Amino acid sequence: MRVGIMGGTFDPIHTGHLIAAERARVEAGLDEIWLMPANVPPHKPNKPRATSQERWEMVCLAAEGNPFFRGIDIEIHKGGVSYSIDTIELLQRQYPEHEFAYIIGADMVEYLPQWHRIDDIVRLIHFIGLARPGYSLELSALPEAIRTRVQLVPMPMVEISSTAIRKYRAEQASVRYLVPDKVLHYMEVNRLYES
């Protein structure tokens, strides 16, 4: 089975994440997409506003209704800082019959050479880079060992961010259609991001 891993803080998960995941699934011929909330992302200076449990529950709600999507809480259970190499090695031990690919934005593809233990990572998996309209990415600028492990897929322009959603919620503005209905209901019941 070919599985695309979409990791992120998901604080909260939103429609843009789901559109990107679906485009990657279709364009790269993946069998499933696993949505994986990070416990403590190594590249973000501020900790998530929602707890890891709340973010996990929102991911599960967002995945409902799509038979190709599912949440995976491996990084939350592992605890600590979430480094990709540790997660990949753990996934491959638990699911040796699966082939994994990391789904990342095209802007992140440029930073792959700076990833922790990237040489080990590219030996184990490949990457699906989501190329947004108007964004220019020169794969040729990357080292060959990385470049040959990246597949670019087209991604429609979707200007939705978790930061904006949190801001709207704090301002008591509507976020309807920016997040799935079940995620919106969860945020309202649990009063997430209201201040």
Side-chain angles (χ1 to χ4, degrees):
M1 182 184 296
R2 299 189 68 227
V3 176
I5 300 292
M6 178 176 272
T9 310
F10 298 133
D11 192 26
I13 191 167
H14 55 67
T15 308
H17 293 128
L18 302 178
I19 292 169
E22 180 67 3
R23 293 308 331 135
R25 184 186 72 79
V26 171
E27 297 287 339
L30 301 172
D31 298 303
E32 286 188 359
I33 300 291
W34 293 2
L35 302 164
M36 182 178 61
N39 186 51
V40 180
H43 61 283
K44 296 216 175 175
N46 301 320
K47 70 177 196 168
R49 291 275 308 280
T51 67
S52 58
Q53 184 64 32
E54 289 167 336
R55 292 181 296 112
W56 164 244
E57 289 175 10
M58 287 188 284
V59 162
C60 291
L61 290 169
E64 282 182 11
N66 186 327
F68 303 108
F69 286 10
R70 75 170 174 131
I72 183 167
D73 61 355
I74 193 169
E75 289 194 345
I76 288 173
H77 273 301
K78 184 168 60 73
V81 175
S82 300
Y83 285 109
S84 298
I85 185 64
D86 300 329
T87 301
I88 293 161
E89 290 174 342
L90 190 54
L91 282 170
Q92 291 189 330
R93 283 195 301 274
Q94 289 184 2
Y95 305 95
E97 70 284 3
H98 292 4
E99 177 188 336
F100 293 103
Y102 257 125
I103 301 166
I104 60 175
D107 55 331
M108 287 299 296
V109 171
E110 292 182 276
Y111 292 100
L112 284 175
Q114 280 81 51
W115 279 34
H116 178 66
R117 292 181 55 195
I118 188 61
D119 293 337
D120 295 325
I121 292 173
V122 295
R123 280 193 286 272
L124 297 174
I125 64 158
H126 69 278
F127 289 88
I128 298 166
L130 302 170
R132 296 178 178 171
Y135 185 83
S136 177
L137 172 65
E138 291 296 325
L139 276 181
S140 59
L142 294 172
E144 184 179 0
I146 297 173
R147 180 176 65 244
T148 58
R149 302 292 283 172
V150 175
Q151 175 186 359
L152 292 179
V153 301
M155 168 70 189
M157 183 66 78
V158 179
E159 293 296 331
I160 302 173
S161 74
S162 297
T163 302
I165 291 166
R166 293 192 303 270
K167 180 177 178 285
Y168 294 150
R169 291 279 299 155
E171 295 169 352
Q172 299 179 351
S174 174
V175 296
R176 190 167 190 194
Y177 305 122
L178 299 179
V179 297
D181 287 344
K182 289 181 179 180
V183 172
L184 176 58
H185 179 71
Y186 183 92
M187 289 192 302
E188 290 173 344
V189 167
N190 292 282
R191 307 194 65 174
L192 294 181
Y193 315 116
E194 289 186 358
S195 61

